[in-house]
Amino acid sequence: MGVEEKCHIWRWFANQLHMNLEINSIQDCWDVLDQPWSPQSRAVIHACIACIVHQIWTVRNKNRFENKAPCWKSAVTIMATHAKLVGNNSKRVSNSSMASFTLLKKFGIQINPKAPTATLEILWSPPTVGWMKCNIDGVVLGNPRLVACGGVFRDHNANHVVSFSDFLGNESPEFAELFVAISALKEAKRRNFNKL
């Protein structure tokens, strides 16, 4: 396998990772593992690296000892197949990383989600006939805190009537909960929902 074919394989690997990396050697591949990949994605990347080395070695030996011309496209197909096989059979879990999600989906791999830490059963019941029910919530993300809130109005048949949401900026969780309660009351008054 010549330098050009090897470059095709390294470029293919970089494209699968969706990273603007210059990958020209095995060391560049190992450097990719310094990224915050999920355990499942890390297993797929390890499989790709091992398969890349094996394919380069196999194709070079076939060229040298059997005088067979190298075909980088078949080598890439074999690597993609191995990566998919490893990813789909791995017991390792994925995380919420977008890079990991993109990599696994690129190979057509089923994502192994984390097991839920707790299961909370919530039973929602519609209001009595003629009444409206509004479910509200406020959420906070990160530091500095980004706060948002929203609510959903449903009738006695559990049909969606109207919903609302607001981005509140840098506020406290208490502010979000209070703001969404007031917003729900204002929305109910504006729409003449007298039985809330």
Side-chain angles (χ1 to χ4, degrees), residues 6-25:
K6 280 195 244 178
C7 287
H8 283 301
I9 290 175
W10 299 125
R11 256 186 249 120
W12 168 83
F13 183 60
N15 287 339
Q16 301 312 302
L17 300 173
H18 283 286
M19 300 174 79
N20 291 328
L21 295 174
E22 189 66 32
I23 298 180
N24 295 311
S25 69

Side-chain angles (χ1 to χ4, degrees), residues 1 4-9 12 59 69-79:
M1 181 177 282
E4 186 177 331
E5 285 82 9
K6 280 195 244 178
C7 287
H8 283 301
I9 290 175
W12 168 83
V59 172
C71 180
W72 69 271
K73 287 183 181 178
S74 64
V76 164
T77 302
I78 291 168
M79 287 181 290

Side-chain angles (χ1 to χ4, degrees), residues 124 126-127 131 154-159:
W124 187 90
W131 284 74
R154 293 185 181 273
D155 64 13
H156 64 275
N157 292 320
N159 295 321

Side-chain angles (χ1 to χ4, degrees), residues 124-127 131-135 152-155 195-196:
W124 187 90
S125 58
W131 284 74
M132 193 69 62
K133 186 179 242 185
C134 182
N135 294 98
V152 177
F153 287 89
R154 293 185 181 273
D155 64 13
K195 296 180 178 180
L196 183 63

